Amino acid sequence: MFDDFEAPSRRDLLLMIGRTGGAAAMYQAMTALGHAAATRFTGPPQLSGARPGASVLVLGAGLAGMLAAYELSKAGYKVQVLEFQDRPGGRNYSVRGGDRIVEVGGATQTVQYAPGNYLNPGPWRIPHHHRTLLHYATQFGVELEPFIQLNHNAFVHRHDAFGGKPQRYKELAVDFKGHTSELLAKALNAGQLDSAVSKEDKERLLVAMREWGVLDKSDRYTSDLHVAAQRGYDKAPGGGVDGAPTSAGINGLSDVLDSHVWTQMGFYFGSVMQTTMFQPKGGMDMIGKGFYREVGKLVRLNTRVTKITQDDHGVAAQWTDTKTGQAGESRADYMVCTIPATILNQIDIQVSPAKKAAIAALPYSAQVKIGLEMKSRFWEENYAIYGGHSFTDQAIGLISYPNYNFFKGGPAVLLGAFASGAGGYQLAGMTPEARIAAALEQGSVFHPAEYKAEYLNGASVAWSRMPWIMGCCATWSEESRATHYQNLVSLDGRIVLAGEHASYYGCWMEGALLSSTDAIMRLHQRALAA
Amino acid sequence: MDRRACLLPVLAIAAFASAGRAQDSAGGQTSVQVPDEGRAVYEQICQACHMADAKGGDGAGARIPALAGNPRLADKDYPVTLLLKGRGGMPWFTEILTHRQMAAVVNYVRGHFNSFPGTVTEAYVDRVASAPPPKPDCMTCGN
Ligand SMILES: Cc1cc2nc3c(=O)[nH]c(=O)nc-3n(C[C@H](O)[C@H](O)[C@H](O)COP(=O)(O)OP(=O)(O)OC[C@H]3O[C@@H](n4cnc5c(N)ncnc54)[C@H](O)[C@@H]3O)c2cc1C
């Protein structure tokens, strides 16, 4: 059996290390073997051998809660999940025609989108290195398609740049690169950087600036056909007699700086924003639905938890059924609580003062998303924009074009706002009707002829007014991290907290899953040691 | 200390904030301006959660508290401290509001939605804000 003596493949080796040394050893080995260190994921938690009859109560059926339910029940625990809403998924959420959006304060919208169209009010893009999320998505048969992140042909708008006229990203970005290259080349040629770079590096840098910045023979950034080949032509290359292209002009440095295009260029460099990105076909909530197919029978929906207690023998959650008004109590040996800190801060929960202080130290951001259904895909037909984002300095922040059904005609839903900061509060404070009016007004800057004319209907989600979270995502400060993070995530008697807020990967689904994985591994150890 | 003159666009503060907050929208900076007048600050910021009538509303076993008819606002320091530091779901506003704007909105809420005596000045907020403002800690935020 010489086959047995084959050298182990890298994967075999990793599996072996993983089995013997656990996740931490495997992680170290992976890094050493040159795998990206972009994620902590080393495979789903390998829990097994729960004590017979041991039980866990999970609060919240978002991704953190459902991962806990899935893995713990696989390990042999008796699991029950309590969820306030009438649907699973939590922030993993999509709205479609017929759905109702009810806000704190009572404002209610009924979504009018045509069949097949949707808005992802929360998560909408998945980085290629979010391995935990991608693992479960594939395992549960969720079909993923590309999320068009960087679109060179989309627009950048600022009210005080180019007379308020939006410019194509490619033109601004190429001009920015060209002008800065010219300046660096100038400084190098004048010997101004001789003390900072070696002679050899100076030569190489000059070559780099010429090639990358597309400078001319005298190291200037000027309008020519090479530049046009990046930022676009006046007359594009054609066929036959009149095929020769002509170049377009370039923008001056000062105008380009007015546009702040470096904020977008920098944005796309962020590791969580780099292409390739994905989205589930048919809506982000396909992920939550995938989990729910596995754990649905364990979940009690429409169940508002109002009080959480524990003693030496177990945990208990008091709840009210939001449909029937029935009050009840669920008990178990242990608890994984994934209720967002905004809510948890106001629930009577029996944990240490340090953990309570940690929960109270987590304010939430407040974003607004607005989905506008349009009669036609005019951004494709008239502007050759297929997916991606057009940015503005108005409150709406950006508009983003759908990444599915390209070329298929209308109606189609585009994202008419992804607002945060002061702009997010402004829009959240409006009635749903006023939000749509503001989004149409502001978004018109990009597509003035079509935007209002093609509008059919719209829906908005103001996260600060979603009753089950009253915010978007947890906001840590350097101080609160130092003072409270460990207290938040620590096992407190029989209770452990999990969710996006209990991670260093805030406001990403990956963070919710990594937090839950870590929490249940510690809980399992505690249960075995008991 | 108020770090900027009134009516500078929000992005001006972004420059002061740490790298994690360089963007106040996902991929850019807005020029949204918050006016200095108390009522306008309330309508453009606080109303997003506390509602136009300042009566708040119910959530899932929690609520956004009413600011109207709220005895806790008798103590001037209470709302000022919350605006500076946040608590629970209530964000801190040091990145969005100047101390002058904080004073104005506190006066509006205490006077218009309640009838507590006394006014809060910018200098008063400066004094309460003895500690430096919170520095956001998240390198992966802004999705
Ligand atoms: C606007 C926005 C954009 C985002 N963009 C992205 C993105 O592009 N990519 C990405 O990966 N992530 C993104 N995220 C982050 C992502 O949505 C979250 O990190 C993740 O979904 C959080 O999961 P969770 O399980 O921790 O919490 P949740 O999903 O919030 O789950 C908590 C659950 O607890 C329930 N609950 C609350 N109160 C009670 C109660 N009293 N009793 C019982 N149950 C209760 C809630 O109903 C909810 O179902 C975004 C989030 C937002 C809001």
Side-chain angles (χ1 to χ4, degrees):
Chain A
M1 303 290 134
F2 289 102
D3 287 0
D4 287 348
F5 287 94
E6 245 180 36
S9 72
R10 183 158 78 167
R11 191 162 169 277
D12 293 339
L13 203 66
L14 284 175
L15 275 175
M16 212 166 73
I17 298 171
R19 274 193 208 110
T20 49
M26 173 136 147
Y27 176 66
Q28 274 181 359
M30 280 177 79
T31 325
L33 290 174
H35 278 287
T39 174
R40 296 287 181 92
F41 184 67
T42 53
Q46 304 291 328
L47 311 180
S48 61
R51 300 197 168 201
S55 57
V56 180
L57 187 57
V58 176
L59 306 185
L63 296 191
M66 288 198 287
L67 179 144
Y70 175 71
E71 294 294 349
L72 287 170
S73 60
K74 249 179 38 182
Y77 290 92
K78 244 181 74 202
V79 177
Q80 189 185 15
V81 187
L82 306 178
E83 166 57 47
F84 167 74
Q85 296 183 72
D86 61 2
R87 60 162 188 93
R91 274 167 276 182
N92 180 273
Y93 179 36
S94 304
V95 296
R96 303 182 178 77
D99 288 350
R100 270 159 43 95
I101 304 170
V102 183
E103 300 182 2
V104 174
T108 302
Q109 305 166 66
T110 303
V111 182
Q112 314 274 318
Y113 302 153
N117 285 344
Y118 63 86
L119 163 70
N120 288 333
W124 56 322
R125 48 188 161 199
I126 305 170
H128 58 275
H129 50 83
H130 283 185
R131 309 296 325 173
T132 322
L133 185 73
L134 293 171
H135 164 83
Y136 286 103
T138 6
Q139 179 177 337
F140 299 151
V142 178
E143 216 182 319
L144 298 169
E145 64 192 0
F147 175 96
I148 311 295
Q149 172 74 336
L150 172 50
N151 184 339
H152 292 78
N153 208 34
F155 291 106
V156 175
H157 165 259
R158 284 187 72 84
H159 73 286
D160 55 0
F162 296 95
K165 197 172 173 302
Q167 305 293 305
R168 300 275 186 180
Y169 172 80
K170 63 184 173 192
E171 296 173 0
L172 295 174
V174 172
D175 288 348
F176 184 85
K177 172 169 73 71
H179 285 300
T180 49
S181 298
E182 177 185 313
L183 286 171
L184 183 55
K186 198 179 268 176
L188 287 164
N189 282 325
Q192 283 165 340
L193 296 172
D194 285 356
S195 60
V197 290
S198 68
K199 198 163 172 304
E200 195 195 6
D201 285 350
K202 176 178 169 175
E203 285 315 309
R204 292 194 295 181
L205 259 176
L206 274 167
V207 173
M209 290 307 103
R210 279 170 205 140
E211 292 180 3
W212 185 65
V214 199
L215 305 183
D216 66 14
K217 280 199 206 68
S218 34
D219 288 348
R220 304 267 322 270
Y221 179 63
T222 49
S223 164
D224 64 21
L225 281 174
H226 299 289
V227 168
Q230 292 196 347
R231 75 190 294 292
Y233 299 88
D234 186 22
K235 212 163 97 191
V241 256
D242 194 25
T246 59
S247 61
I250 55 167
N251 295 305
L253 173 64
S254 196
D255 290 338
V256 174
L257 291 176
D258 283 346
S259 77
H260 289 218
V261 69
W262 68 84
T263 53
Q264 280 82 45
M265 297 170 75
F267 169 72
Y268 294 124
F269 272 110
S271 67
V272 285
M273 293 300 166
Q274 291 169 12
T275 63
T276 306
M277 303 196 83
F278 298 101
Q279 65 179 21
K281 267 198 172 144
M284 187 53 82
D285 65 351
M286 293 301 166
I287 307 251
K289 286 178 172 159
F291 272 101
Y292 197 65
R293 280 196 293 276
E294 304 292 327
V295 302
K297 56 188 181 306
L298 310 175
V299 180
R300 191 180 200 289
L301 298 173
N302 302 310
T303 307
R304 177 173 58 229
V305 172
T306 52
K307 187 172 178 183
I308 298 165
T309 55
Q310 60 172 329
D311 60 23
D312 290 349
H313 308 291
V315 298
Q318 286 178 18
W319 47 260
T320 309
D321 188 304
T322 57
K323 291 279 178 271
T324 63
Q326 174 205 347
E329 188 180 72
S330 299
R331 298 182 157 274
D333 298 332
Y334 300 98
M335 176 183 290
V336 179
C337 175
T338 72
I339 295 177
T342 37
I343 307 285
L344 201 54
N345 187 45
Q346 295 187 37
I347 288 182
D348 187 358
I349 177 172
Q350 198 178 345
V351 288
S352 70
K355 193 177 291 295
K356 279 189 185 163
I359 295 165
L362 275 181
Y364 275 44
S365 56
Q367 271 85 329
V368 174
K369 275 200 189 163
I370 300 177
L372 305 172
E373 186 162 69
M374 299 288 184
K375 280 178 220 157
S376 69
R377 302 173 82 91
F378 54 82
W379 51 91
E380 297 183 1
E381 289 154 16
N382 303 347
Y383 298 82
I385 294 175
Y386 301 90
H389 326 295
S390 285
F391 294 96
T392 170
D393 67 339
Q394 301 170 94
I396 56 171
L398 53 73
I399 72 173
S400 186
Y401 310 92
N403 301 302
Y404 59 100
N405 288 348
F406 294 125
F407 303 102
K408 293 246 171 79
V413 172
L414 66 68
L415 182 68
F418 185 15
S420 34
Y425 293 120
Q426 274 183 358
L427 287 167
M430 298 176 185
T431 61
E433 300 75 34
R435 281 178 211 142
I436 301 283
L440 284 173
E441 197 55 48
Q442 295 178 24
S444 286
V445 81
F446 295 114
H447 308 286
E450 303 91 348
Y451 216 66
K452 288 178 191 163
E454 298 289 302
Y455 169 75
L456 286 170
N457 63 77
S460 61
V461 170
W463 282 94
S464 60
R465 291 186 173 189
M466 290 294 102
W468 47 277
I469 182 157
M470 304 185 326
C472 177
C473 290
T475 317
W476 287 93
S477 69
E478 287 175 8
E479 190 204 358
S480 63
R481 269 282 191 224
T483 317
H484 298 294
Y485 182 77
Q486 290 302 331
N487 294 335
L488 187 84
V489 300
S490 69
L491 194 60
D492 188 312
R494 293 170 171 270
I495 298 177
V496 68
L497 308 188
E500 162 271 322
H501 51 292
S503 79
Y504 270 79
Y505 225 127
C507 217
W508 288 92
M509 295 180 287
E510 182 77 0
L513 297 178
L514 287 172
S515 157
S516 184
T517 306
D518 176 73
I520 59 174
M521 291 200 316
R522 283 182 290 131
L523 199 69
H524 182 53
Q525 272 167 16
R526 159 83 166 77
L528 291 184
Chain B
M1 269 279 296
D2 188 354
R3 291 172 306 165
R4 62 190 179 117
C6 63
L7 267 181
L8 271 185
V10 169
L11 67 95
I13 344 164
F16 287 89
S18 75
R21 264 296 162 90
Q23 294 160 342
D24 65 355
S25 81
Q29 295 167 342
T30 66
S31 311
V32 173
Q33 302 191 356
V34 183
D36 270 358
E37 200 250 316
R39 179 198 184 106
V41 177
Y42 184 84
E43 288 173 356
Q44 296 197 18
I45 307 289
C46 320
Q47 181 169 311
C49 299
H50 293 283
M51 302 295 151
D53 58 6
K55 294 206 173 125
D58 282 324
R63 54 179 285 118
I64 298 172
L67 300 182
N70 186 333
R72 297 198 212 193
L73 293 173
D75 174 5
K76 286 185 281 197
D77 281 13
Y78 184 66
V80 171
T81 309
L82 264 156
L83 292 178
L84 291 166
K85 292 191 175 159
R87 188 194 70 207
M90 162 86 180
W92 63 75
F93 283 99
T94 44
E95 287 138 47
I96 286 184
L97 299 178
T98 61
H99 288 179
R100 176 193 293 212
Q101 289 167 329
M102 289 184 192
V105 75
V106 166
N107 289 332
Y108 179 68
V109 168
R110 292 181 79 251
H112 180 76
F113 293 121
N114 299 276
S115 41
F116 294 118
T119 48
V120 171
T121 59
E122 185 177 355
Y124 186 89
V125 180
D126 289 350
R127 270 199 306 281
V128 179
S130 47
K135 275 205 208 112
D137 169 74
C138 184
M139 297 329 280
T140 56
C141 296
N143 41 27

